[in-house]
Amino acid sequence: MEALDYHAKERRKAEFDVQEMKIVWAGSRQAYEISDRVARLVASDPGMFIPAIKGNGTKEQKAKWLPMAYKVQILGCYAQTELGHGSNVRGLETTATFDPQTDEFVLHSPTLTSSKWWPGGMGKVSTHAVVYARLITDGQDHGVHGFIVQLRSLDDLSPLPGITVGDIGMKFGSGAYNSMDNGVMRFDHVRIPRDQMLMGISQVTREGKYVQSDVPRQLIYGPMVFVRQKIVADASTALSRAVCIATRYSAVRRQFGSQNGGPETQVIDYKTQQNRLFPLLASAYAFRFVGQWLMWLYRDVIQRLQTNDFSTLPEVHACTAGLKSITTSATADGIEECRKLCGGHGYLSSSGLPELFAVYVPACSYEGDNVVMLLQVGRFLMKTVSQLGSGKMPVRTIAYMGRAKHLLQCRCEVERAEDWLKPHVILEAFEARAARMAVACAKNINKFPKQEDGFAELSADLTEAAVAHCQLIVVSKFIEKLQQDIPGKGVKRQLEILCNVYALSLMHKHNGDFVATGCISPEQGALANEQLRLLYSQVRPNAIALVDAFNHTDHYLGSILGRYDGNVYPKLYEEAWKDPLNETVVPDGLHEYIQPILKQHIRLARL
């Protein structure tokens, strides 16, 4: 029970009210109380069927289909991705051709690559789908639109005529996403009524006339925006699970450093461990707070759309795309880093980390490849830069661009390491870096005779500028969080420390960007690293309490290494004997394979 004492001692070191920090993590006292009473559910599918109908359907379509979906009278999926096209939605090949003779659409998969591929739930159980296909009327292609299509019989789930559907097969990991029936589907001239086209944004009349409303076409991708903001929020949850496991185990594990026969050093006390672990701890909190803000942003844009205000739509799309990219990439890498932080035992299935990684890593690809997402943000930034001289002032997340003249010339005022603890100093450094990288990229693109050639040639630069912009958003939202009234003894102080760790660890990682753009000098970069090391010492006594504030139960973590009581070694030993290989002492195949080798009864081939 020695390990149990480790965590008890660690928790007594805490310099803040853990219960109050749990409330901050949950977002509100009400949210915390609900999460404390209700068992957590791990969503295996983003559930885009309902949002697609809500976002793109007419009042009549919503009234017909949503009640059935809510009552689970039908099981829906979101069929957009195809074998040959994922991120490039405009390239989808499935067709929906209007037949004016019968007032129907004919859905067809004209090529092998037009097969729907990956939709969750489609492989074996979905009865209906929102299918995205190219709308064709009178020989004219109107681009990709959504259609509600019944796939299977409601009686026995058998596929309807003209539909070939099944599961795409095993995926990464032994368990992980293999519990999800990701599907493949092809249409062979399947007919559906005209009113099953989602017509909230554009319509096809009985005569076959295509009518485009004044609503922006981008609204067709509204469900993707909804899911991406949810993915950002979920990133903090996944990363917090991994960080919780690695932090608790790092406090239990002891290696080297024994003095005169005394106990060895806790792994968490090694600076190399802190340098890898504590930025991930800070990132979990940072992603949590930017996720909470992103939910507000999404709700705000929905309210605006209801009053025909589409002004914020480009920004919301850029925010959700960019933040989806950087948070999922950082989380996937962070989970793997946490596995390595746990040494060899982190490779055990019972550590919970291999399964967590296998379950999470698809987030870097689904609902938009991360690099493609950054390129979209890059284009948004280039458009913003091009409008700087027009008198149109940037707002909200790109408001800093309105001070581009100052940010392109300003010099960092840091003279001592502690100067990096000033929020306005950190914020200006990140703003200057983002602005300078975006402006430099825009200037270089303008040197090309054709703008698209510039975008293609400088795509890597675009992604780097996008990363700088998105990291600025996360840092700024963390700083904004600290400006709120945060109750609880020492809670705000710990969040300030984590905010500085997050920002300065990013500065250390991207030091080349900050120095190359002239935002800081090499000496100031060295001072930032010095302050970062000092911050690690302040995180150390609070580390266990900070992961306790995530409020994850042992059942939810699914990890022996991350047990709340720290009783790791006895439980690892106990778990080993549950392995099926240990059901017998003598291995199967002893007489047939092993004994002949041991007794040299097998003839060896001669060369």
Side-chain angles (χ1 to χ4, degrees), residues 168-257:
I168 62 174
M170 288 291 289
K171 299 169 284 284
F172 184 84
S174 57
Y177 244 75
N178 287 302
S179 60
M180 172 61 69
D181 57 329
N182 297 96
V184 52
M185 178 171 61
R186 289 180 59 79
F187 297 103
D188 184 4
H189 300 92
V190 174
R191 292 178 173 267
I192 63 171
R194 178 173 56 88
D195 64 6
Q196 287 183 211
M197 169 186 167
L198 292 175
M199 296 192 186
I201 297 173
S202 53
Q203 302 84 36
V204 172
T205 67
R206 174 64 184 86
E207 296 73 28
K209 181 181 178 182
Y210 178 73
V211 180
Q212 176 69 58
S213 71
D214 295 331
V215 178
R217 285 278 300 158
Q218 294 94 320
L219 280 184
I220 290 180
Y221 307 112
M224 270 197 166
V225 174
F226 169 79
V227 172
R228 285 171 187 160
Q229 64 82 23
K230 184 179 183 300
I231 290 172
V232 172
D234 290 345
S236 68
T237 302
L239 183 56
S240 69
R241 290 175 66 184
V243 168
C244 185
I245 295 168
T247 301
R248 287 176 176 172
Y249 181 63
S250 295
V252 169
R253 186 72 167 178
R254 291 178 178 268
Q255 291 290 288
F256 308 110

XYZ file of all heavy atoms in Angstrom, residues 168-257:
705
model
N -16.685 -1.648 -43.843
C -15.430 -1.509 -44.586
C -14.298 -2.368 -44.032
O -13.234 -2.446 -44.640
C -14.960 -0.040 -44.639
C -14.677 0.492 -43.222
C -15.959 0.820 -45.367
C -14.061 1.885 -43.226
N -14.510 -2.998 -42.873
C -13.478 -3.894 -42.354
C -12.742 -3.340 -41.147
O -13.036 -2.251 -40.643
N -11.750 -4.111 -40.701
C -11.001 -3.768 -39.501
C -10.210 -2.481 -39.700
O -9.708 -2.186 -40.779
C -10.040 -4.900 -39.133
C -10.730 -6.125 -38.584
S -11.454 -5.855 -36.944
C -9.963 -5.753 -35.941
N -10.088 -1.737 -38.588
C -9.355 -0.478 -38.599
C -8.212 -0.537 -37.592
O -7.950 -1.569 -36.987
C -10.328 0.669 -38.277
C -11.476 0.802 -39.295
C -12.564 1.745 -38.843
C -13.458 1.147 -37.785
N -14.419 0.174 -38.315
N -7.552 0.571 -37.406
C -6.385 0.688 -36.524
C -6.732 0.239 -35.109
O -7.760 0.624 -34.561
C -5.923 2.145 -36.521
C -4.676 2.417 -35.732
C -3.434 2.215 -36.300
C -4.733 2.890 -34.437
C -2.270 2.483 -35.590
C -3.588 3.156 -33.714
C -2.351 2.954 -34.293
N -5.867 -0.574 -34.508
C -6.068 -1.002 -33.122
C -6.842 -2.297 -33.036
O -7.527 -2.715 -33.962
N -6.754 -2.939 -31.862
C -7.440 -4.213 -31.666
C -8.898 -4.007 -31.292
O -9.772 -4.789 -31.656
C -6.743 -5.028 -30.562
O -6.698 -4.284 -29.354
N -9.180 -2.938 -30.551
C -10.553 -2.616 -30.190
C -10.924 -1.311 -30.850
O -11.377 -1.246 -31.978
N -10.678 -0.230 -30.097
C -10.773 1.131 -30.619
C -12.044 1.341 -31.436
O -13.135 1.016 -31.009
C -9.520 1.462 -31.436
N -11.887 1.869 -32.658
C -13.029 2.199 -33.496
C -13.615 0.985 -34.194
O -14.540 1.112 -35.004
C -12.626 3.254 -34.531
C -13.365 4.559 -34.355
C -13.036 5.431 -33.326
C -14.399 4.920 -35.204
C -13.713 6.616 -33.149
C -15.082 6.111 -35.042
C -14.736 6.952 -34.012
O -15.409 8.135 -33.846
N -13.106 -0.201 -33.905
C -13.631 -1.390 -34.557
C -15.011 -1.775 -34.029
O -15.669 -2.643 -34.584
C -12.653 -2.548 -34.409
C -11.446 -2.363 -35.303
O -11.579 -2.237 -36.515
N -10.264 -2.305 -34.716
N -15.449 -1.116 -32.966
C -16.808 -1.336 -32.494
C -17.814 -0.534 -33.326
O -19.022 -0.738 -33.218
C -16.926 -0.929 -31.020
O -16.602 0.447 -30.855
N -17.311 0.382 -34.146
C -18.167 1.186 -35.013
C -18.261 0.549 -36.394
O -17.241 0.193 -36.986
C -17.596 2.604 -35.127
C -18.284 3.478 -36.159
S -20.035 3.758 -35.823
C -19.899 4.786 -34.360
N -19.486 0.400 -36.892
C -19.683 -0.222 -38.210
C -19.582 0.841 -39.310
O -20.570 1.182 -39.958
C -21.012 -0.970 -38.281
C -22.206 -0.070 -37.973
O -22.048 0.867 -37.184
O -23.303 -0.306 -38.534
N -18.371 1.330 -39.525
C -18.145 2.256 -40.638
C -18.463 1.534 -41.945
O -18.011 0.413 -42.165
C -16.697 2.747 -40.641
C -16.370 3.539 -39.395
O -15.829 2.994 -38.437
N -16.698 4.812 -39.392
N -19.225 2.206 -42.811
C -19.786 1.484 -43.935
C -19.282 1.869 -45.309
O -18.661 2.912 -45.520
N -19.578 0.991 -46.271
C -19.393 1.234 -47.699
C -20.764 1.050 -48.350
O -21.521 0.146 -47.985
C -18.361 0.265 -48.317
C -18.687 -1.185 -47.985
C -18.302 0.462 -49.836
N -21.099 1.921 -49.301
C -22.423 1.842 -49.912
C -22.379 2.329 -51.362
O -21.687 3.298 -51.682
C -23.421 2.689 -49.116
C -24.834 2.713 -49.701
S -26.023 3.491 -48.591
C -25.336 5.156 -48.454
N -23.140 1.633 -52.196
C -23.277 2.028 -53.601
C -24.760 2.067 -53.970
O -25.567 1.282 -53.452
C -22.549 1.049 -54.524
C -21.024 1.153 -54.420
C -20.322 0.159 -55.351
N -20.683 0.347 -56.745
C -20.191 1.296 -57.545
N -19.310 2.157 -57.056
N -20.559 1.386 -58.805
N -25.098 3.007 -54.854
C -26.464 3.138 -55.352
C -26.529 2.700 -56.813
O -25.659 3.048 -57.611
C -26.938 4.597 -55.257
C -27.016 5.132 -53.852
C -26.042 5.989 -53.368
C -28.066 4.781 -53.027
C -26.108 6.499 -52.087
C -28.151 5.284 -51.731
C -27.163 6.139 -51.263
N -27.564 1.967 -57.129
C -27.813 1.574 -58.529
C -29.179 2.112 -58.927
O -30.202 1.427 -58.810
C -27.760 0.056 -58.665
C -27.909 -0.405 -60.117
O -27.975 0.471 -61.022
O -27.991 -1.624 -60.343
N -29.191 3.399 -59.337
C -30.409 4.062 -59.791
C -31.547 3.920 -58.773
O -32.633 3.409 -59.088
C -30.843 3.513 -61.162
C -29.803 3.727 -62.232
N -28.837 2.778 -62.521
C -29.566 4.779 -63.045
C -28.050 3.243 -63.488
N -28.465 4.463 -63.825
N -31.265 4.383 -57.564
C -32.245 4.331 -56.475
C -33.114 5.594 -56.520
O -32.603 6.711 -56.557
C -31.535 4.223 -55.112
C -32.542 4.314 -53.970
C -30.740 2.923 -55.032
N -34.420 5.412 -56.517
C -35.351 6.529 -56.625
C -35.888 6.955 -55.251
O -36.230 6.104 -54.424
C -36.516 6.177 -57.554
C -36.092 6.030 -59.014
C -37.249 5.641 -59.910
N -36.837 5.683 -61.316
C -36.985 6.751 -62.103
N -37.548 7.865 -61.615
N -36.580 6.720 -63.353
N -35.943 8.278 -55.048
C -36.524 8.839 -53.828
C -37.438 9.996 -54.231
O -37.228 10.636 -55.265
C -35.449 9.338 -52.840
C -34.638 10.480 -53.468
C -34.549 8.201 -52.380
C -33.698 11.169 -52.474
N -38.467 10.306 -53.418
C -39.349 11.435 -53.731
C -38.585 12.759 -53.737
O -37.588 12.916 -53.039
C -40.377 11.406 -52.603
C -40.323 10.012 -52.058
C -38.904 9.567 -52.218
N -39.069 13.709 -54.514
C -38.417 15.016 -54.625
C -38.325 15.708 -53.275
O -37.342 16.403 -52.993
C -39.186 15.894 -55.625
C -38.626 17.311 -55.778
C -39.335 18.063 -56.898
N -40.768 18.098 -56.683
C -41.400 19.053 -55.973
N -40.713 20.043 -55.431
N -42.720 19.011 -55.829
N -39.321 15.535 -52.402
C -39.328 16.248 -51.128
C -38.326 15.682 -50.117
O -38.267 16.135 -48.977
C -40.735 16.288 -50.524
C -41.275 14.908 -50.160
O -40.528 13.912 -50.269
O -42.454 14.827 -49.764
N -37.532 14.678 -50.535
C -36.488 14.175 -49.634
C -35.127 14.819 -49.910
O -34.131 14.459 -49.297
C -36.420 12.647 -49.698
C -37.599 12.004 -48.993
C -37.553 10.491 -48.970
O -38.596 9.839 -48.978
N -36.378 9.901 -48.935
N -35.115 15.778 -50.839
C -33.942 16.645 -50.953
C -34.052 17.694 -49.855
O -35.115 18.283 -49.633
C -33.918 17.341 -52.316
C -32.885 18.451 -52.419
S -33.007 19.367 -53.978
C -31.984 20.782 -53.605
N -32.960 17.919 -49.102
C -32.972 18.954 -48.070
C -33.058 20.321 -48.749
O -32.113 20.749 -49.417
C -31.717 18.846 -47.199
C -31.637 17.594 -46.312
C -30.297 17.538 -45.592
C -32.784 17.556 -45.318
N -34.194 20.990 -48.590
C -34.471 22.193 -49.369
C -34.513 23.464 -48.543
O -35.144 24.449 -48.926
C -35.787 22.025 -50.133
C -35.757 20.913 -51.175
S -37.189 20.990 -52.274
C -36.989 19.495 -53.237
N -33.839 23.471 -47.410
C -33.819 24.683 -46.606
C -33.016 25.801 -47.234
O -33.226 26.978 -46.925
N -32.081 25.447 -48.096
C -31.190 26.450 -48.686
C -31.441 26.615 -50.184
O -31.413 27.715 -50.714
C -29.723 26.083 -48.422
C -29.460 26.100 -46.917
C -28.772 27.023 -49.152
C -28.106 25.600 -46.506
N -31.697 25.508 -50.856
C -32.022 25.567 -52.291
C -33.082 24.511 -52.581
O -33.210 23.531 -51.844
C -30.765 25.332 -53.135
O -30.105 24.140 -52.755
N -33.843 24.736 -53.638
C -34.982 23.871 -53.936
C -34.987 23.465 -55.407
O -34.374 24.116 -56.253
C -36.315 24.596 -53.632
C -36.467 25.078 -52.194
C -35.812 26.421 -51.947
O -35.827 27.281 -52.815
N -35.209 26.588 -50.766
N -35.728 22.391 -55.675
C -36.043 21.978 -57.034
C -37.566 21.916 -57.122
O -38.216 21.222 -56.326
C -35.425 20.609 -57.385
C -35.935 20.121 -58.742
C -33.907 20.700 -57.395
N -38.138 22.665 -58.068
C -39.592 22.712 -58.197
C -40.125 21.454 -58.878
O -39.348 20.642 -59.409
C -40.019 23.941 -59.016
O -39.562 23.774 -60.373
C -39.435 25.219 -58.435
N -41.442 21.330 -58.888
C -42.078 20.169 -59.531
C -41.702 20.105 -61.009
O -41.569 19.023 -61.590
C -43.613 20.270 -59.387
C -44.375 19.184 -60.150
C -44.049 17.817 -59.563
N -44.669 16.737 -60.318
C -44.155 16.149 -61.401
N -42.992 16.570 -61.904
N -44.780 15.151 -61.974
N -41.496 21.257 -61.627
C -41.137 21.312 -63.041
C -39.652 21.040 -63.280
O -39.212 20.978 -64.433
C -41.492 22.684 -63.626
C -42.975 23.003 -63.634
C -43.522 23.310 -62.248
O -42.734 23.797 -61.392
O -44.714 23.047 -62.010
N -38.885 20.913 -62.196
C -37.461 20.628 -62.346
C -36.594 21.869 -62.370
O -35.398 21.793 -62.702
N -37.141 23.007 -61.984
C -36.358 24.241 -61.957
C -35.585 24.341 -60.652
O -36.129 24.153 -59.563
C -37.278 25.458 -62.114
C -36.525 26.780 -62.123
C -37.495 27.955 -62.267
C -36.734 29.287 -62.236
N -37.656 30.445 -62.336
N -34.306 24.638 -60.776
C -33.452 24.776 -59.594
C -33.549 26.208 -59.083
O -33.332 27.164 -59.836
C -31.998 24.442 -59.936
C -31.032 24.597 -58.777
C -31.019 23.676 -57.732
C -30.127 25.658 -58.735
C -30.126 23.807 -56.676
C -29.237 25.793 -57.686
C -29.245 24.870 -56.654
O -28.375 25.006 -55.616
N -33.877 26.381 -57.801
C -34.040 27.701 -57.200
C -33.031 27.853 -56.066
O -33.062 27.096 -55.083
C -35.473 27.907 -56.657
C -35.604 29.299 -56.044
C -36.494 27.694 -57.767
N -32.143 28.810 -56.205
C -31.130 29.079 -55.188
C -31.592 30.247 -54.327
O -31.938 31.312 -54.831
C -29.793 29.436 -55.845
C -28.699 29.833 -54.864
C -28.234 28.653 -54.024
O -27.791 27.641 -54.530
N -28.346 28.794 -52.709
N -31.627 30.045 -53.015
C -32.051 31.118 -52.120
C -30.913 32.108 -51.907
O -29.784 31.901 -52.377
C -32.489 30.534 -50.771
O -31.365 30.068 -50.053
N -31.201 33.178 -51.175
C -30.189 34.190 -50.888
C -29.265 33.770 -49.748
O -28.292 34.446 -49.453
C -30.864 35.521 -50.508
C -31.647 36.100 -51.681
O -31.247 35.822 -52.834
O -32.645 36.807 -51.429
N -29.584 32.670 -49.109
C -28.761 32.178 -47.996
C -27.418 31.698 -48.543
O -27.362 31.025 -49.570
C -29.485 31.024 -47.267
C -28.615 30.468 -46.150
C -30.816 31.511 -46.717
N -26.297 32.022 -47.872
C -24.984 31.591 -48.358
C -24.880 30.086 -48.519
O -25.389 29.317 -47.697
C -24.030 32.087 -47.258
C -24.733 33.222 -46.624
C -26.184 32.858 -46.664
N -24.207 29.675 -49.582
C -24.027 28.245 -49.845
C -23.256 27.556 -48.723
O -23.386 26.359 -48.514
C -23.266 28.068 -51.159
C -24.098 28.322 -52.397
C -24.914 27.114 -52.778
N -24.083 25.954 -53.070
C -24.508 24.702 -53.026
N -25.736 24.449 -52.665
N -23.697 23.711 -53.321
N -22.465 28.349 -47.974
C -21.659 27.743 -46.909
C -22.518 27.067 -45.844
O -22.035 26.209 -45.112
C -20.767 28.804 -46.237
C -19.699 29.381 -47.150
C -20.182 30.653 -47.817
O -21.328 30.742 -48.230
N -19.301 31.636 -47.930
N -23.785 27.443 -45.763
C -24.651 26.847 -44.752
C -24.849 25.348 -44.976
O -25.201 24.620 -44.060
C -26.007 27.541 -44.739
C -26.089 28.888 -44.005
C -27.504 29.390 -44.012
C -25.559 28.773 -42.603
N -24.634 24.901 -46.216
C -24.739 23.467 -46.495
C -23.758 22.691 -45.611
O -24.002 21.551 -45.222
C -24.462 23.194 -47.986
C -25.621 23.724 -48.834
C -24.273 21.709 -48.252
C -25.452 23.509 -50.315
N -22.637 23.322 -45.288
C -21.619 22.656 -44.479
C -21.755 22.991 -43.004
O -20.853 22.736 -42.210
C -20.233 23.040 -45.007
C -20.086 22.793 -46.495
C -19.952 23.847 -47.388
C -20.139 21.503 -47.005
C -19.857 23.624 -48.757
C -20.049 21.269 -48.368
C -19.905 22.333 -49.235
O -19.824 22.102 -50.585
N -22.908 23.576 -42.635
C -23.162 23.906 -41.233
C -23.009 22.738 -40.283
O -22.414 22.890 -39.206
N -23.529 21.559 -40.628
C -23.346 20.413 -39.729
C -21.879 20.104 -39.445
O -21.533 19.670 -38.346
C -24.007 19.264 -40.504
C -25.035 19.942 -41.355
C -24.411 21.242 -41.757
N -21.013 20.319 -40.428
C -19.590 20.078 -40.199
C -19.032 21.051 -39.161
O -18.210 20.692 -38.327
C -18.800 20.213 -41.493
C -18.659 18.931 -42.262
S -17.336 19.046 -43.484
C -17.146 17.316 -43.887
N -19.493 22.319 -39.233
C -19.049 23.311 -38.256
C -19.462 22.879 -36.851
O -18.687 22.961 -35.896
C -19.619 24.700 -38.588
C -19.280 25.713 -37.496
C -19.091 25.185 -39.933
N -20.692 22.392 -36.738
C -21.195 21.926 -35.441
C -20.327 20.796 -34.883
O -19.931 20.809 -33.723
C -22.639 21.440 -35.588
C -23.153 20.703 -34.375
C -23.586 21.398 -33.259
C -23.195 19.324 -34.353
C -24.057 20.728 -32.148
C -23.660 18.640 -33.232
C -24.093 19.348 -32.126
N -20.023 19.838 -35.734
C -19.256 18.681 -35.278
C -17.817 19.078 -34.951
O -17.235 18.599 -33.980
C -19.290 17.559 -36.328
C -18.339 16.444 -35.963
C -20.704 17.009 -36.439
N -17.241 19.991 -35.742
C -15.859 20.388 -35.482
C -15.719 21.109 -34.150
O -14.731 20.918 -33.439
C -15.340 21.253 -36.627
C -15.015 20.435 -37.877
C -14.704 21.309 -39.062
N -14.554 20.519 -40.276
C -14.662 20.991 -41.496
N -14.940 22.282 -41.690
N -14.510 20.201 -42.542
N -16.689 21.927 -33.791
C -16.583 22.591 -32.491
C -16.719 21.569 -31.368
O -16.105 21.705 -30.312
C -17.609 23.728 -32.363
C -19.073 23.346 -32.393
C -19.618 22.861 -31.063
O -19.065 23.173 -30.011
N -20.684 22.092 -31.105
N -17.511 20.523 -31.608
C -17.621 19.453 -30.612
C -16.308 18.683 -30.509
O -15.892 18.291 -29.408
C -18.759 18.505 -30.991
C -19.023 17.415 -29.959
C -20.176 16.531 -30.378
C -20.481 15.487 -29.310
N -19.344 14.593 -29.041
N -15.645 18.491 -31.646
C -14.366 17.782 -31.647
C -13.324 18.552 -30.843
O -12.525 17.967 -30.102
C -13.880 17.557 -33.089
C -14.771 16.526 -33.792
C -12.429 17.083 -33.113
C -14.499 16.379 -35.269
N -13.335 19.878 -30.964
C -12.402 20.705 -30.190
C -12.655 20.519 -28.699
O -11.714 20.355 -27.910
C -12.532 22.191 -30.581
C -11.708 23.072 -29.642
C -12.075 22.408 -32.019
N -13.921 20.540 -28.306
C -14.252 20.353 -26.897
C -13.826 18.967 -26.412
O -13.333 18.804 -25.286
C -15.749 20.550 -26.687
N -13.989 17.969 -27.267
C -13.636 16.599 -26.885
C -12.126 16.393 -26.796
O -11.661 15.465 -26.121
C -14.216 15.602 -27.882
C -15.740 15.509 -27.784
O -16.288 15.989 -26.778
O -16.362 14.959 -28.711
N -11.362 17.234 -27.494
C -9.901 17.085 -27.460
C -9.374 17.235 -26.042
O -8.491 16.484 -25.606
C -9.241 18.112 -28.384
N -9.912 18.197 -25.298
C -9.439 18.398 -23.927
C -9.757 17.190 -23.055
O -8.973 16.824 -22.174
C -10.071 19.658 -23.325
O -11.466 19.488 -23.130
N -10.904 16.569 -23.310
C -11.285 15.396 -22.517
C -10.328 14.237 -22.765
O -9.846 13.592 -21.819
C -12.725 14.968 -22.858
O -13.613 16.057 -22.606
C -13.145 13.767 -22.027
N -10.043 13.967 -24.029
C -9.134 12.869 -24.361
C -7.731 13.134 -23.827
O -7.095 12.243 -23.242
C -9.094 12.661 -25.870
N -7.231 14.366 -24.021
C -5.894 14.688 -23.538
C -5.841 14.646 -22.022
O -4.857 14.178 -21.439
C -5.475 16.066 -24.048
C -4.052 16.518 -23.693
C -3.017 15.498 -24.187
C -3.755 17.893 -24.284
N -6.896 15.103 -21.368
C -6.910 15.091 -19.901
C -6.864 13.666 -19.361
O -6.266 13.416 -18.307
C -8.146 15.816 -19.370
O -9.343 15.105 -19.643
N -7.479 12.727 -20.057
C -7.415 11.326 -19.620
C -5.982 10.810 -19.668
O -5.501 10.184 -18.714
C -8.311 10.460 -20.508
C -9.792 10.693 -20.329
C -10.615 9.896 -21.320
N -10.508 8.454 -21.109
C -11.079 7.560 -21.897
N -11.800 7.940 -22.947
N -10.948 6.262 -21.644
N -5.312 11.084 -20.783
C -3.929 10.621 -20.919
C -3.018 11.299 -19.905
O -2.159 10.648 -19.285
C -3.426 10.901 -22.337
N -3.187 12.602 -19.723
C -2.353 13.355 -18.784
C -2.605 12.887 -17.350
O -1.672 12.790 -16.550
C -2.628 14.864 -18.922
C -2.000 15.638 -17.774
C -2.090 15.379 -20.258
N -3.845 12.587 -17.034
C -4.175 12.088 -15.697
C -3.443 10.785 -15.407
O -2.844 10.604 -14.336
C -5.687 11.895 -15.578
S -6.255 11.423 -13.933
N -3.466 9.882 -16.379
C -2.781 8.594 -16.218
C -1.279 8.795 -16.051
O -0.663 8.256 -15.124
C -3.066 7.686 -17.432
C -4.552 7.315 -17.492
C -2.201 6.424 -17.397
C -4.975 6.657 -18.799
N -0.683 9.584 -16.938
C 0.764 9.773 -16.915
C 1.226 10.508 -15.661
O 2.289 10.199 -15.099
C 1.208 10.541 -18.165
N 0.451 11.480 -15.217
C 0.836 12.243 -14.023
C 0.775 11.381 -12.776
O 1.700 11.373 -11.952
C -0.078 13.469 -13.872
O 0.020 14.292 -15.038
C 0.310 14.291 -12.649
N -0.314 10.662 -12.605
C -0.441 9.812 -11.419
C 0.634 8.723 -11.400
O 1.229 8.449 -10.356
C -1.838 9.191 -11.373
C -2.932 10.181 -10.991
C -4.312 9.556 -11.047
N -5.340 10.496 -10.587
C -6.655 10.273 -10.677
N -7.098 9.142 -11.224
N -7.509 11.172 -10.237
N 0.875 8.126 -12.551
C 1.889 7.072 -12.580
C 3.281 7.646 -12.367
O 4.128 7.011 -11.718
C 1.834 6.310 -13.907
C 2.842 5.192 -13.982
C 2.774 4.113 -13.104
C 3.864 5.215 -14.918
C 3.707 3.085 -13.160
C 4.802 4.195 -14.981
C 4.715 3.133 -14.099
O 5.646 2.127 -14.153
N 3.531 8.849 -12.863
C 4.849 9.473 -12.671
C 5.126 9.756 -11.201
O 6.284 9.820 -10.786
C 4.941 10.785 -13.473
O 4.884 10.539 -14.858
N 4.063 9.940 -10.413
C 4.228 10.151 -8.982
C 4.441 8.840 -8.234
O 5.068 8.809 -7.170
C 3.019 10.887 -8.411
N 3.927 7.748 -8.810
C 4.091 6.424 -8.199
C 5.456 5.831 -8.535
O 6.148 5.280 -7.670
C 2.978 5.478 -8.687
C 3.278 4.034 -8.284
C 1.636 5.910 -8.134
N 5.853 5.958 -9.769
C 7.076 5.325 -10.266
C 8.315 5.986 -9.671
O 8.436 7.212 -9.645
C 7.123 5.440 -11.796
C 8.278 4.702 -12.450
C 8.091 3.215 -12.407
N 9.033 2.520 -13.282
C 9.098 1.202 -13.391
N 8.286 0.430 -12.679
N 9.961 0.627 -14.208
N 9.255 5.179 -9.221
C 10.532 5.658 -8.690
C 11.664 4.950 -9.432
O 11.629 3.733 -9.610
C 10.647 5.402 -7.183
C 9.709 6.259 -6.335
C 9.825 5.924 -4.855
N 8.974 6.764 -4.032
C 9.350 7.913 -3.478
N 10.592 8.344 -3.652
N 8.509 8.620 -2.741
N 12.653 5.727 -9.843
C 13.803 5.166 -10.550
C 15.055 5.980 -10.200
O 15.030 7.220 -10.259
C 13.596 5.207 -12.057
C 12.523 4.269 -12.578
C 12.903 2.814 -12.502
O 13.746 2.322 -13.250
N 12.277 2.100 -11.581
N 16.128 5.283 -9.835
C 17.429 5.900 -9.585
C 17.368 6.889 -8.398
O 16.328 7.104 -7.795
C 17.973 6.621 -10.830
C 17.995 5.779 -12.065
C 17.123 6.040 -13.117
C 18.867 4.710 -12.185
C 17.132 5.268 -14.256
C 18.888 3.931 -13.327
C 18.021 4.210 -14.371
N 18.527 7.457 -8.103
C 18.612 8.545 -7.125
C 18.560 8.139 -5.678
O 18.426 9.003 -4.799
